Amino acid sequence: MRTDSSPGTLPAREHLPAAGAGTPVLDVVIPVYNEEKDLQPCVRRLHEHLARTFPYAFRITIADNASTDTTPRVAAGLAAELAEVRSFRLEQKGRGRALRTVWAASDAPVLAYMDVDLSTDLNALLPLVAPLISGHSDLAIGSRLSRSSRVVRGAKREFISRTYNLILRGSLQARFSDAQCGFKAIRRDVAQVLLPLVEDTGWFFDTELLVLAERAGLRIHEVPVDWVDDPDSTVHIVRTATDDLKGVWRVGRALATGSLPLDRLARPFGDDPRDRDITDVPRGLTRQLVGFCVVGALSTLFYLLLYSGFRTFAGSQFANALALLVSAVANTAANRRLTFGVRGRGGAVRHQAQGLVVFGIGLVLTSGSLAALNAATDGAAHSTELAVLIAANLAATVLRFLLFRAWVFPDRHEDLRHEDLRHEDLRHEDLRLKDLPKAPEPSTVAATPRPGPYDANPYDANSYGSKPYGSNPYDPDPYGHPPLPRRGAVPYETHRDATMRLQPVRPADPDPRDPR
């Protein structure tokens, strides 16, 4: 699993503007391997459908990955005949490799792909890409397992598909319903950040992409589709299932060890309502309470099992201390990852040390309860000891949650918000200073100073030398300002590329309130 850093944070979602002609809005990729018979009717049918129904400019890209029949010749003929069709040849097999190569080189703001057999009804194409054009979602997938989907296929494929998606839900906690449907779309700015993290080059490619996107907090839109199975499909079911299970194990291990830099993608947008300053609403308290209670219940059962085992060969105080120590280490690790969302190994030793301090407080409570029980009653029954320990652990649990939340895993949002406000004040101060009349530069100056980082046109690539300001929000400001801490900082070059000028096919009804 790749652990290299992502190219940068994602820009805020915006509706792609419909203006003058330019780059196609949608690039539909059709990966093919030895499809000389089905390729031509597929492309012609898709082209006719898009030309008749799609309200923006489009492109169809045939991604031929190492075909050995006449598929390359058929693709070249279609590209020469239809202006909106182009062909791309790869010398290595792999559907994921073909999609990665074409998507990385495409200039369309919305990227999609579909299987060459066109098993999915094309009427679902516009609903698939509309949320990406509007800025509502980041990825979109067709689902054959939705209740409103209408699917015709054999019992064997139905069983395999549902079993595979159950495995994804049970092992990777995936919440999307259908990972294998060959009908998906993604915004190009999102693809540029996610593609370097995806390792698979075969059939597991889109599943891995979806899992990483979901773990990064991106929004996935699902469209119920009408789907008819292709009886002549060349997919090798057993080999594909084996490769998919290997991919599930690899991705699950990478997520468990925290080796993926998904924390740099988590909630990268500036339009998340959870980032707004809402008073009297504790941030994430409900989710943290639920996670803490689940972890606490499992930790209590684990502790009681350990105590019962240690009690067979040791006294009550020693058994309690040893069981509490082991369960406390596991409890801190589980709460760190599941309750408070801390990923990676950074600070893990410090968190465990602070967790041991909290463990010491719990030890005092439970050991004091046992001491009080022994002082009050000689030879108390084992069930009585367990009841006292459960009551003491409940009290220690409440205190542990408060200490975890306020001390071990504090919420850094307030500090970042105050830093954002300070930088906002600096920005306004720079704008005021810029409006003041400036004295002419002396002729002895060798070079004209470059404009400041907050000049009026942030989208001009020449406004800050050869590298636009903000292309890396973690770089220090040459004017002395500290780097921007906001995770939603928008790299100007990426933002400029993501908002293409689009050409609608039919005019929209004018708004009488619009001065245009």
Side-chain angles (χ1 to χ4, degrees):
M1 176 59 62
R2 299 179 179 178
T3 58
D4 52 329
S5 300
S6 59
T9 55
L10 298 173
R13 301 188 193 100
E14 290 185 359
H15 195 302
L16 297 174
T23 304
V25 179
L26 175 65
D27 192 349
V28 183
V29 181
I30 303 178
V32 293
Y33 174 73
N34 290 347
E35 297 287 354
E36 58 183 359
K37 182 179 69 173
D38 296 333
L39 180 57
Q40 182 164 333
C42 162
V43 172
R44 291 188 182 280
R45 179 181 164 197
L46 176 60
H47 181 272
E48 187 275 333
H49 176 83
L50 289 172
R52 179 171 51 87
T53 65
F54 193 66
Y56 298 105
F58 64 88
R59 178 193 299 135
I60 300 173
T61 302
I62 304 170
D64 172 30
N65 46 315
S67 293
T68 57
D69 59 2
T70 61
T71 297
R73 203 158 50 241
V74 175
L78 290 169
E81 179 182 351
L82 302 174
E84 293 84 6
V85 177
R86 69 175 184 178
S87 62
F88 193 90
R89 167 78 177 181
L90 288 88
E91 298 302 330
Q92 292 178 294
K93 291 180 60 176
R95 184 185 67 166
R97 179 179 288 107
L99 291 176
R100 180 203 304 277
T101 304
V102 176
W103 281 357
S106 178
D107 55 354
V110 177
L111 311 170
Y113 94 89
M114 62 179 59
D115 293 335
V116 69
D117 54 18
L118 293 187
S119 296
T120 304
D121 183 16
L122 292 179
N123 287 327
L125 183 56
L126 183 56
L128 182 81
V129 301
L132 309 185
I133 295 175
S134 69
H136 174 271
S137 301
D138 309 302
L139 296 91
I141 64 174
S143 175
R144 300 164 296 184
L145 303 182
S146 174
R147 288 188 175 183
S148 56
S149 299
R150 291 174 288 188
V151 177
V152 178
R153 61 176 168 178
K156 183 174 72 172
R157 285 183 175 270
E158 181 77 12
F159 173 78
I160 292 175
S161 179
R162 292 189 178 274
T163 302
Y164 178 65
N165 284 279
L166 285 176
I167 291 174
L168 292 180
R169 288 176 177 269
S171 59
L172 300 179
Q173 289 81 48
R175 294 189 297 273
F176 47 85
S177 63
D178 192 352
Q180 293 178 310
C181 182
F183 193 67
K184 296 181 176 68
I186 185 173
R187 286 174 66 105
R188 184 172 66 92
D189 48 11
V190 177
Q192 288 176 339
V193 179
L194 283 182
L195 288 180
L197 303 179
V198 180
E199 181 176 337
D200 191 82
T201 59
W203 290 95
F204 188 70
F205 169 85
D206 41 357
T207 299
E208 184 173 356
L209 183 73
L210 287 174
V211 171
L212 298 184
E214 189 174 70
R215 288 300 186 96
L218 305 184
R219 179 172 287 165
I220 301 175
H221 176 72
E222 296 197 14
V223 178
V225 297
D226 299 340
W227 196 85
V228 179
D229 190 14
D230 179 15
D232 298 327
S233 175
T234 59
V235 178
H236 194 286
I237 297 178
V238 176
R239 184 170 62 245
T240 301
T242 303
D243 293 341
D244 287 346
L245 292 177
K246 291 179 181 179
V248 170
W249 168 256
R250 174 176 51 80
V251 173
R253 182 177 58 184
L255 293 174
T257 58
S259 59
L260 286 169
L262 295 181
D263 54 329
R264 297 190 60 182
L265 298 180
R267 292 169 61 184
F269 303 106
D271 59 352
D272 196 322
R274 295 170 294 178
D275 291 330
R276 297 172 188 168
D277 186 16
I278 305 176
T279 59
D280 300 328
V281 178
R283 184 170 298 274
L285 180 60
T286 302
R287 183 189 60 79
Q288 291 179 358
L289 278 174
V290 172
F292 186 82
C293 289
V294 172
V295 173
L298 296 177
S299 298
T300 301
L301 292 177
F302 183 51
Y303 162 79
L304 293 177
L305 290 175
L306 291 175
Y307 178 80
S308 299
F310 295 150
R311 191 68 176 84
T312 59
F313 60 86
S316 60
Q317 291 288 359
F318 179 80
N320 170 67
L322 189 57
L324 197 59
L325 175 62
V326 176
S327 61
V329 173
N331 181 274
T332 301
N335 277 306
R336 180 179 186 270
R337 176 64 179 85
L338 302 177
T339 304
F340 298 96
V342 180
R343 298 181 175 88
R345 300 179 181 178
V349 176
R350 174 174 58 84
H351 293 154
Q352 284 291 350
Q354 292 173 313
L356 289 178
V357 174
V358 178
F359 148 76
I361 298 175
L363 179 62
V364 171
L365 287 175
T366 54
S367 298
S369 301
L370 282 177
L373 176 64
N374 293 333
T377 305
D378 292 335
H382 183 64
S383 59
T384 305
E385 286 184 353
L386 290 179
V388 170
L389 286 174
I390 290 174
N393 268 287
L394 288 176
T397 298
V398 175
L399 183 60
R400 187 183 304 120
F401 176 75
L402 296 176
L403 290 175
F404 273 172
R405 182 175 169 83
W407 180 47
V408 183
F409 309 109
D411 187 1
R412 304 291 185 186
H413 179 268
E414 287 299 318
D415 296 337
L416 292 178
R417 189 172 66 84
H418 290 308
E419 284 294 317
D420 289 347
L421 293 176
R422 185 169 69 86
H423 286 293
E424 196 71 17
D425 293 339
L426 290 173
R427 187 177 71 86
H428 289 303
E429 183 65 25
D430 285 352
L431 290 175
R432 286 194 297 268
L433 292 175
K434 188 184 68 172
D435 293 335
L436 295 177
K438 298 180 181 180
E441 296 290 339
S443 57
T444 57
V445 177
T448 304
R450 293 181 294 184
Y454 303 108
D455 279 349
N457 186 6
Y459 302 103
D460 185 1
N462 297 321
S463 63
Y464 193 75
S466 61
K467 178 182 179 183
Y469 175 79
S471 59
N472 186 353
Y474 302 98
D475 284 347
D477 189 331
Y479 283 81
H481 302 304
L484 297 177
R486 188 193 305 274
R487 284 191 291 178
V490 181
Y492 293 144
E493 190 68 23
T494 303
H495 188 282
R496 184 184 62 183
D497 290 345
T499 55
M500 300 295 178
R501 298 176 63 83
L502 313 181
Q503 176 63 45
V505 170
R506 60 178 67 88
D509 293 333
D511 188 345
R513 296 171 296 178
D514 192 342
R516 296 178 295 178

